[in-house]
Amino acid sequence: GTVDQLREENMDLFELQEASYETQSKLLQGETVAAALREQNARLLEKEAMYAETQSKLQEAESAVAQLNADLLGMQETYLGTRIRNERTEEREAEERADLQGALSDLRTTAEQRLEHMQQIQSLEQTLQAEREKCVAATHSHAILAARLAETEA
């Protein structure tokens, strides 16, 4: 019986050894899968880091765009303000030109009236001069007549 018993124990040992090899093989497969999963996890972590960096850059870009939009609005407001001031200045200048043209027209009218008055004064002075000459001539004639009358009476 001991040989049979030894054979049985030997068979049991072989079965245990086979089970041990199978277990080791499964452990090796598990470690290989675990290593592959760790590698995949590391790649995922890298991708998450890249994603976070991309998100950060995207937020910076959005912030820069928002700042540019704000700057653009400020420039548009400045432009509109300048344009409104320019239009007001043009309106004021147009009003001033109209006022100056009115004043110039008034000056022309005044100058024409003065010229007319000066012509009237010259005409009156000429008439006055002619009347003076008539008076002088009449006085002279009168003096001559008075002298003749005096002669005649004498």
Side-chain angles (χ1 to χ4, degrees):
T2 41
V3 172
D4 284 335
Q5 198 179 355
L6 280 176
R7 268 193 202 134
E8 220 176 284
E9 282 179 19
N10 199 16
M11 283 300 280
D12 286 344
L13 278 174
F14 274 127
E15 284 175 16
L16 277 175
Q17 205 173 7
E18 253 183 48
S20 171
Y21 284 139
E22 264 182 59
T23 305
Q24 282 181 350
S25 174
K26 285 181 182 173
L27 275 174
L28 279 173
Q29 285 177 351
E31 285 178 14
T32 303
V33 169
L37 285 173
R38 279 194 294 274
E39 196 175 309
Q40 201 174 11
N41 196 28
R43 282 196 300 270
L44 279 174
L45 285 173
E46 283 177 18
K47 285 182 182 176
E48 282 180 5
M50 286 169 50
Y51 176 78
E53 190 178 330
T54 303
Q55 281 295 102
S56 172
K57 286 180 181 174
L58 185 61
Q59 284 177 344
E60 286 175 19
E62 286 173 349
S63 174
V65 166
Q67 183 60 50
L68 286 173
N69 281 337
D71 293 347
L72 184 61
L73 281 175
M75 286 188 274
Q76 285 175 334
E77 285 177 14
T78 302
Y79 170 76
L80 286 175
T82 302
R83 192 167 151 194
I84 290 168
R85 279 194 300 281
N86 286 347
E87 286 173 2
R88 286 184 186 150
T89 301
E90 287 171 7
E91 288 171 7
R92 243 190 343 271
E93 287 173 352
E95 288 171 8
E96 287 172 3
R97 271 195 299 278
D99 291 348
L100 285 174
Q101 286 173 343
L104 188 60
S105 177
D106 291 349
L107 279 175
R108 262 195 215 110
T109 303
T110 303
E112 288 168 1
Q113 287 173 346
R114 282 191 179 163
L115 183 62
E116 217 176 285
H117 290 161
M118 284 174 62
Q119 288 170 344
Q120 288 173 355
I121 289 170
Q122 275 183 334
S123 176
L124 288 172
E125 283 177 346
Q126 287 171 352
T127 304
L128 190 61
Q129 184 62 32
E131 291 298 320
R132 265 196 214 115
E133 286 172 6
K134 283 182 192 175
C135 284
V136 167
T139 303
H140 187 66
S141 295
H142 188 298
I144 291 172
L145 284 175
R148 278 194 199 151
L149 183 63
E151 275 179 26
T152 317
E153 287 178 356

